[in-house]
Amino acid sequence: MIVTHMADTISSRSESGFAYSRDHFEHLVDTALAHARKLGATDAGAEASEGYGLSVSVRKGDLENVERNRDKSLGVTVYVGKRRGNASTSDFSESAIHQTVQAAYDIARFTAEDPVAGLPDEEDIERNPPELDLFHPWAVSSEEAAEIAKECEAAALSTDRRITNSEGAGVSAQHSHFFSAHTHGFRGGYASSRHSISVAPIAGRGDDMQRDAWYTSMRSADELASPQSVGRYAAERALSRLGSRKVKTTECSVLFESTLAAGLLGALVQATSGGALYRRSTFLLDSLGKPVLSDHLSVDEEPHQLRGKGSSPFDDEGVKTHARKVVDDGKLQGYFLSTYSARKLGMKTTGNAGGSHNLRLSSSRTHAQDDLDAMLEKLGTGLFVIELMGQGVNYVTGDYSRGCSGFWVEKGRIAFPVQEITIAGNLKDMLLGIEAVGADEYTYGAKTTGSILINRMKLAGS
């Protein structure tokens, strides 16, 4: 938990810090929808939003940057039959709203017809959204944020004399809220927050210098890890990489650290999302009901998790979100579809306009004692990856090639750190080749998984 003096900076005031109220946003949206109807629009939707925050960074104990952000927007979508137009503005005056609606209407009139364009069906709309406890304002001042960042960096620098430098530490507190409505009866909105502390220390000197980083990010500041623990762990990660070397080109088992494993879960989402499916640009085309993971694996989606980083009572179109099993015993049970992509595929929306919601990968083989040490034992001899570089993923073919660094493992124990190597394979084979998932779960964004062991990959080294 976060240190006491930091928790004391969390706002106890009832004020949200926003410049505009929910009632004001409702008025703006209703004004836009009324004008769209007046112009002759078949259907229309509008969303008013606002965000504000503070970001502070320090380096070597000195203040580097203090940034405050505050933005607002009104977006309008207008349908004229099967034609669709969009426009937005940051001016909330009535005349500007009318001009924005007119612009969206004019775009719609001159856009080609799309037979599947349109608002969600009324039976899919969320009418009574649940409260998910997503907004926890943090009234931290720039001075307080700077002190927290300095504490975090100081903890990293004092961990070991071999920590010789720093790329800096930062504290961020971000808040936003919105209200959205459309002419099929949806009305809803909510406020949310996201706060973080991060640091990036450098270990070693001369030809043997290594950098690593760590952070903590939560919706509520009182759930953040302490700045001291973040700093020390980041330093330990950098120190562990000193003396890195290459290994010979080979084929071996690969263990992805839990912080990186979410990327493999993200690849599954990308490959089974509506846009990729109807464009036929995915290596998992027509995969519904078929094995896409090893048969001991399941993926669950839980949009209504309290304080969840990927929680949402409804998707970006106002469609209901609901808990579901995306993958069951390795077989794909559902895609990630918006209203538009679902109609293109002749299916029903899954409430995923805007992305997935709190995915969790689990294995029937995982036991409570399967921590990282246990996963290294399962790896035996092979590569333990803690950092990936580059964007070498082809979602059409599934081909995967990424630069990486980590550790060479022999007989279940770390032998030495490695760098300047590349791992390669095919995502389809990789996902089907997952042998184990650790109990060392980590949540990255809206995805939670333990470390992932893949049976075989190509390793290009010296």
Side-chain angles (χ1 to χ4, degrees):
M1 296 296 290
I2 207 151
V3 289
T4 303
H5 83 270
M6 186 174 171
D8 290 341
T9 68
I10 299 170
S11 175
S12 61
R13 297 178 295 116
S14 60
E15 293 91 341
S16 65
F18 295 122
Y20 299 93
S21 68
R22 160 74 174 248
D23 288 345
H24 189 75
F25 275 1
E26 289 197 41
H27 171 71
L28 297 177
V29 167
D30 288 342
T31 298
L33 295 181
H35 194 63
R37 293 190 193 96
K38 182 179 178 180
L39 292 176
T42 309
D43 279 307
E47 178 178 301
S49 61
E50 174 190 9
Y52 76 92
L54 169 70
S55 297
V56 175
S57 62
V58 302
R59 183 175 179 274
K60 299 297 289 287
D62 294 325
L63 182 66
E64 279 213 320
N65 290 296
V66 176
E67 297 181 8
R68 293 189 180 276
N69 61 284
R70 185 175 289 273
D71 55 79
K72 59 178 182 174
S73 177
L74 175 70
V76 179
T77 300
V78 169
Y79 293 92
V80 178
K82 292 297 182 179
R83 297 182 173 93
R84 179 176 181 269
N86 291 92
S88 63
T89 182
S90 59
D91 185 343
F92 285 175
S93 67
E94 186 169 336
S95 61
I97 293 173
H98 287 179
Q99 290 170 10
T100 303
V101 174
Q102 182 71 59
Y105 179 76
D106 290 342
I107 292 169
R109 286 194 303 129
F110 294 103
T111 298
E113 283 196 0
D114 186 336
V116 301
L119 295 173
D121 296 333
E122 293 189 19
E123 62 266 25
D124 295 327
I125 293 167
E126 177 60 74
R127 307 286 180 178
N128 298 292
E131 169 54 50
L132 302 179
D133 195 25
L134 304 180
F135 183 57
H136 296 269
W138 185 14
V140 62
S141 68
S142 57
E143 293 80 8
E144 290 166 333
E147 285 304 311
I148 294 165
K150 288 177 182 179
E151 287 179 22
C152 184
E153 185 184 52
L157 293 170
S158 64
T159 298
D160 190 290
R161 65 179 60 185
R162 291 172 295 169
I163 299 295
T164 56
N165 210 332
S166 167
E167 290 187 356
V171 171
S172 175
Q174 299 295 325
H175 315 80
S176 64
H177 77 125
F178 75 95
F179 177 78
S180 177
H182 56 60
T183 52
H184 277 193
F186 171 72
R187 297 181 69 82
Y190 54 88
S192 62
S193 57
R194 183 71 61 86
H195 314 302
S196 66
I197 304 171
S198 61
V199 66
I202 298 171
R205 297 181 185 277
D207 293 335
D208 187 17
M209 295 179 69
Q210 296 290 338
R211 169 203 177 276
D212 212 308
W214 197 247
Y215 74 99
T216 175
S217 174
M218 301 297 287
R219 290 197 180 275
S220 176
D222 62 6
E223 293 183 343
L224 293 170
S226 71
Q228 290 87 353
S229 64
V230 173
R232 285 192 297 269
Y233 187 59
E236 290 166 1
R237 290 178 66 90
L239 290 165
S240 71
R241 299 169 70 158
L242 289 173
S244 291
R245 49 182 162 162
K246 290 184 179 181
V247 291
K248 291 183 179 180
T249 296
T250 185
E251 284 193 10
C252 62
S253 297
V254 175
L255 177 65
F256 286 81
E257 187 180 25
S258 56
T259 56
L260 302 179
L264 295 174
L265 192 51
L268 176 68
V269 174
Q270 171 79 12
T272 55
S273 291
L277 291 164
Y278 76 71
R279 294 185 184 97
R280 305 186 70 80
S281 58
T282 169
F283 67 95
L284 289 180
L285 195 64
D286 301 322
S287 54
L288 202 61
K290 300 176 183 177
V292 294
L293 296 174
S294 300
D295 60 10
H296 59 98
L297 299 174
S298 294
V299 177
D300 294 280
E301 184 174 34
E302 179 45 80
H304 298 166
Q305 177 184 323
L306 296 181
R307 298 194 184 189
K309 294 179 184 177
S311 296
S312 181
F314 45 81
D315 74 1
D316 286 359
E317 299 175 316
V319 169
K320 301 171 187 174
T321 53
H322 57 275
R324 61 176 180 141
K325 193 169 283 292
V326 178
V327 177
D328 189 20
D329 295 335
K331 293 182 179 179
L332 187 68
Q333 304 300 308
Y335 294 135
F336 295 89
L337 306 177
S338 65
T339 297
Y340 184 85
S341 62
R343 288 171 180 164
K344 291 283 283 188
L345 294 166
M347 304 177 76
K348 290 285 289 182
T349 176
T350 59
N352 290 111
S356 60
H357 309 286
N358 297 326
L359 296 182
R360 181 176 179 268
L361 176 69
S362 60
S363 167
S364 59
R365 298 176 183 174
T366 302
H367 301 288
Q369 64 269 28
D370 287 337
D371 57 11
L372 180 57
D373 288 340
M375 292 298 289
L376 290 172
E377 287 186 13
K378 291 182 181 183
L379 171 63
T381 297
L383 180 67
F384 172 39
V385 179
I386 66 168
E387 183 180 16
L388 291 168
M389 292 155 275
Q391 302 296 325
V393 182
N394 185 326
Y395 288 102
V396 179
T397 62
D399 290 337
Y400 182 99
S401 179
R402 304 284 301 274
C404 70
S405 59
F407 302 92
W408 185 253
V409 178
E410 294 181 355
K411 297 180 179 180
R413 294 184 177 274
I414 290 176
F416 52 84
V418 296
Q419 64 180 4
E420 296 179 12
I421 56 176
T422 299
I423 52 174
N426 185 277
L427 278 169
K428 196 167 190 177
D429 298 330
M430 290 165 62
L431 295 174
L432 289 169
I434 296 175
E435 291 189 342
V437 176
D440 52 340
E441 284 191 341
Y442 181 83
T443 299
Y444 184 84
K447 300 172 182 66
T448 299
T449 177
S451 51
I452 288 179
L453 176 60
I454 293 178
N455 57 7
R456 210 78 182 158
M457 292 188 72
K458 295 177 182 177
L459 189 159
S462 57

